[in-house]
Amino acid sequence: MNFDYDLFVIGGGSGGVRAARIAAGEHGARVGLAEESRMGGTCVIRGCVPKKLMIFASNAPMMADEMRGYGWGDANAHQFDWAAFRNKLDTELNRLEAAYTTNAERAGVEIHRQRAKLVDHHTVSLADGTRFTAKHILIAVGGRPAKIGIPGEELGLISDDLFLLDELPRRALLIGGGFIACEFATILNGLGVQTVQAYRGDAVLRGFDTEAREMATQQLSDIGVDLRLGLAPTRMDKSEGGVTVSFDDGSSEEFDAVFFATGRDPYSWDLGLENTEVRRRKNGAIEVDQWSQTSVPSIFAVGDVTDRVNLTPVAIREGHAFADTIFGGHARKVNHDVVASAVYLRPAELGTIGLTEEQARERGAVDVYSAVFRPMRSMFAGSNSRTMMKLLVDPDTDKVLGCHIFGPEAGEMIQLAAIPITMGATKADFDATMAVHPTAAEELVTMRQPSRRHRPGEA
Ligand code: NDP
């Protein structure tokens, strides 16, 4: 059968664009791609990139504080100019969107700026009614912010909205205790917004190493976020000054803006999947095997819509491996077991890879090398901020099972620590590495004795 394309990609985000570019540019496939919104997807347009720029912007008051501790008595972060920042941000996102578009087009990808749906196992239809056939179809449509099903929740904003505000709210509520809630609380607080964060649990960032979670929870309060633990909203009502939120402890309060950061759902609805035999999990995620192949041989899926490890670099790797496997004659799988990530808080970030201390204990014996200290830079300035470095080591094999860093630039540090850990480094390899002095990261190679040893069966 003759197809219009060798590959049709639905979704112009990180995973879809990488797959399309590699299939067309490196392997000579005829590729079409449909995107209903802006090229670049969540990470570039309404996620990682604008978020990180806002984290930088929100740093100023803390930097001024620190510099006063170094003798710059008049260092001050005066009024933040949101309009000026937003203009620059819009320009930067336009630049990135154009780069994504041109790079894909240069590789030979035909971009259709419309929504696409599946008609059958080899056909897609676009919003204007055009149909294309393709030998392979790749679904890379990502995820969408999820709300929680309380009355009046349509009055609440989602993470996408932060980057589009005409003006910053005076007083904001963030609901949730995950990646987005904690990063957004840090940003808003740093930009001078009175920030309340309501989280139903007892420490933010569930799933991360407990010691690191406790430090992150403490830090949010220390920097001035009004963090309320064990609290969840039950309803929202429009009020004169904004939105009045009622909570499960019987209290209610008014805010100018309320943001839901309560997880993301795979964006698999209204995609024509009912016309195919593609199987989905209960939460809507598209089921795939280790080759990113769905239950239909001609249809593949990568990125957040598959809900494996929901991070941009993982989607990119999945898209690239798919293109190499199907069009490059080079079968490649993605290892989802060891993936480093970072949560961009301030002043300390949280960088993590591998098992948490709790997971390592469940697995068996583990030696914990952990150092908690006041880093030179902020201590001199008079701050009590603490940094933590932790290595989890299997006492039988000496292999490093996990690493957790809570401190300034932990994202950068964990990226470098991720190389030896992915390679299977032992504690002896870390010990054999000469320290770089004076740095905070040198603790990773100078921790001689375990702080504690856990053995199976102990209380
Ligand atoms: P998360 O899954 O990380 O967090 C969701 C939060 O919402 C949790 O604290 C959860 O509480 C809470 N929650 C869920 N349902 C309810 C409810 N019904 N009532 C009250 N609270 C609720 O999702 P995010 O939205 O923060 O982020 C989505 C994804 O985006 C992440 O999984 C991550 O992969 C990605 N991301 C990555 C970043 C990075 O790498 N730096 C940055 C931002 C996002 P509980 O813990 O109790 O379940």
Side-chain angles (χ1 to χ4, degrees), residues 436-457:
V436 178
H437 186 72
T439 62
E442 69 182 305
E443 288 294 329
L444 283 180
V445 298
T446 56
M447 292 187 285
R448 295 279 161 231
Q449 294 299 323
S451 323
R452 44 196 178 270
R453 302 172 199 267
H454 300 299
R455 297 294 176 262

Side-chain angles (χ1 to χ4, degrees), residues 67-126:
M67 285 305 115
R68 282 198 295 279
Y70 276 87
W72 296 88
D74 60 351
N76 223 323
H78 292 291
Q79 200 58 39
F80 175 64
D81 186 343
W82 171 250
F85 174 80
R86 260 231 37 208
N87 274 339
K88 279 203 74 177
L89 182 64
D90 288 348
T91 308
E92 176 60 3
L93 299 186
N94 288 339
R95 185 186 72 79
L96 288 171
E97 185 183 8
Y100 262 72
T101 309
T102 340
N103 288 342
E105 282 173 348
R106 269 205 206 116
V109 179
E110 279 180 23
I111 299 173
H112 304 275
R113 294 200 163 255
Q114 298 181 53
R115 185 170 177 77
K117 288 188 188 187
L118 290 142
V119 176
D120 61 37
H121 292 178
H122 288 285
T123 312
V124 295
S125 75
L126 302 185

Side-chain angles (χ1 to χ4, degrees), residues 255-270:
F255 299 92
D256 299 328
V258 179
F259 291 91
F260 283 94
T262 42
R264 294 175 61 89
D265 291 332
Y267 185 32
S268 63
W269 60 89
D270 200 20

